[in-house]
Amino acid sequence: MNPESKQRLTDTFAIDPSVTPVAVAIDGSWLDVDWDDGTRTGHDIATLLRVGEARRRPAVRASSGFAIPAGLQLWSEPQEPSWFDAGVIDDDDRWIEALDHLRLHGWVAFDGAALGETAARKLAARIGYPRSSIFGDFWEMKSGATEHMDSAYETFALDVHTDGTYSHDAPGTILFAQQVRTGDGGDSVLIDGFAAARDFQAANPDAADLLTRYSVRAHYIEPGVHLVAERPPLRVDDDGNLVQLSFNNYDRAPLLPADGLVDEVIDAYNAFRAVFTDSARALLHPWKPGRLLVFDNWRLFHGRTEFTGDRAFFGCYTNHEDLEGAYRVAGLTT
Ligand SMILES: [Fe+2]
């Protein structure tokens, strides 16, 4: 764990769930645990007590199952990346075709945009408006930047996730305007999370149902900032439709038992993650200056391959209600 941001750096999915402690030692306020797989972990006792005793247990809602909203083109095999000409953003008729691609597939990309902020701001204005957050409303992000402690600023591969699990109103879309790219790697990785949720429910309905009912807490911590929010990884509306995925193991807070369910939740969480991280589902979007990529953060998981060299982009979030509104205004939904 990054001691300052509290972001998780350990691959918790790789830990054998049957691992057991073989020895413990307390040194003042510190607890060391030796595990039967040969590892040793260290724990601050005051933190363990605070997490284990003081925190409210998550609520568990009664429900069963979910449906996928009609009219989407779910994809569970890698799509070929494709790009609209960036001139489409300025063309009222052809823009609707691009917007419909976003609605059907959860993403849309453009090539040939002029470098700078203008194209990205126009694209954001087609969908809504840049939504302000702790990162500002319109970001310039470069590898090696240090304004925030987030793992997005590093060069290692980013496990696929959704953004804003620590926000009560997670960003609806994420928009990247690629400005600089040298070296290798650094592709955007996209996964259709709704397709993965459908397949997960078909294979493991009880586990999928549990993830619609158990709220997972997430946090974002840096100096002067401490955000916390929680909701089920699979959020279902009152009509039983899946409406939003929330899954970010970097920002996940510790799971606590509710009705004795924590082992089942961990199993379900890991099982869902095993479905959606199957590389056979991944769409890799290679980066090139002048490309724009926007995707639905409530439906798609995104990540990034490891990279070398320089990689810089402008980016912003927009709200999901604005995205839904854009679809209605264009006559694509009612
Ligand atoms: Fe992200």
Side-chain angles (χ1 to χ4, degrees):
M1 180 172 285
N2 180 316
E4 288 168 337
S5 72
K6 306 294 187 286
Q7 279 196 311
R8 181 168 294 99
L9 300 176
T10 303
D11 179 8
T12 53
F13 303 105
I15 299 172
D16 180 350
S18 66
V19 70
T20 51
V22 292
V24 296
I26 293 176
D27 179 7
S29 62
W30 195 254
L31 171 70
D32 282 316
V33 181
D34 289 312
W35 302 87
D36 64 356
D37 64 357
T39 57
R40 166 175 283 195
T41 57
H43 310 267
D44 172 59
I45 292 173
T47 300
L48 282 182
L49 289 174
R50 194 168 63 245
V51 168
E53 293 177 355
R55 237 180 61 186
R56 182 174 62 79
R57 266 46 181 173
V60 177
R61 165 180 85 75
S63 172
S64 65
F66 56 84
I68 302 292
L72 307 179
Q73 291 186 10
L74 301 189
W75 44 280
S76 52
E77 294 179 352
Q79 293 184 308
E80 286 297 313
S82 61
W83 293 267
F84 285 88
D85 183 89
V88 165
I89 298 167
D90 292 320
D91 183 321
D92 286 346
D93 294 329
R94 293 176 63 215
W95 162 251
I96 292 178
E97 197 186 325
L99 184 64
D100 205 31
H101 192 284
L102 175 58
R103 182 183 70 84
L104 292 170
H105 303 283
W107 63 273
V108 66
F110 304 87
D111 201 359
L115 297 185
E117 294 187 18
T118 305
R121 287 190 179 276
K122 278 186 184 173
L123 178 55
R126 279 291 195 183
I127 298 169
Y129 51 89
R131 163 246 180 84
S132 197
S133 72
I134 50 170
F135 302 107
D137 62 354
F138 202 82
W139 348 294
E140 182 175 11
M141 202 134 151
K142 294 180 182 140
S143 44
T146 54
E147 298 99 298
H148 298 278
M149 294 170 181
D150 200 78
S151 47
Y153 291 76
E154 309 283 353
T155 60
F156 52 71
L158 274 185
D159 210 5
V160 290
H161 60 276
T162 61
D163 273 13
T165 51
Y166 47 77
S167 167
H168 295 305
D169 176 23
T173 74
I174 305 175
L175 191 159
F176 296 139
Q178 301 159 18
Q179 303 294 308
V180 175
R181 181 73 202 99
T182 64
D184 296 317
D187 294 353
S188 282
V189 181
L190 300 178
I191 308 272
D192 187 349
F194 277 20
R198 173 201 60 191
D199 298 344
F200 178 53
Q201 179 173 245
N204 201 338
D206 291 342
D209 181 55
L210 186 55
L211 295 190
T212 70
R213 298 188 288 117
Y214 181 100
S215 287
V216 172
R217 184 177 285 211
H219 54 203
Y220 185 95
I221 301 168
E222 63 180 33
V225 179
H226 190 155
L227 308 179
V228 175
E230 61 183 34
R231 61 184 158 272
L234 302 170
R235 188 167 73 82
V236 175
D237 70 11
D238 292 342
D239 296 323
N241 286 312
L242 180 65
V243 290
Q244 182 186 17
L245 303 178
S246 300
F247 199 110
N248 188 326
N249 204 49
Y250 296 107
D251 294 332
R252 178 176 58 74
L255 294 170
L256 288 182
D259 298 342
L261 279 175
V262 75
D263 288 341
E264 288 89 340
V265 170
I266 290 171
D267 286 348
Y269 190 82
N270 291 358
F272 181 38
R273 192 255 185 187
V275 171
F276 71 72
T277 55
D278 180 349
S279 60
R281 294 180 177 274
L283 165 64
L284 292 182
H285 243 287
W287 277 50
K288 195 172 96 176
R291 285 183 175 166
L292 303 163
L293 174 64
V294 59
F295 51 88
D296 184 339
N297 183 54
W298 287 20
R299 170 176 166 188
L300 263 56
F301 298 109
H302 68 280
R304 178 195 66 211
T305 61
E306 188 177 10
F307 68 96
T308 59
D310 292 326
R311 185 178 186 271
F313 59 96
F314 292 111
C316 71
Y317 293 138
T318 71
N319 291 313
H320 209 272
E321 68 269 22
D322 294 317
L323 176 67
E324 294 168 25
Y327 295 153
R328 290 189 198 101
V329 170
L332 299 172
T333 62
T334 54

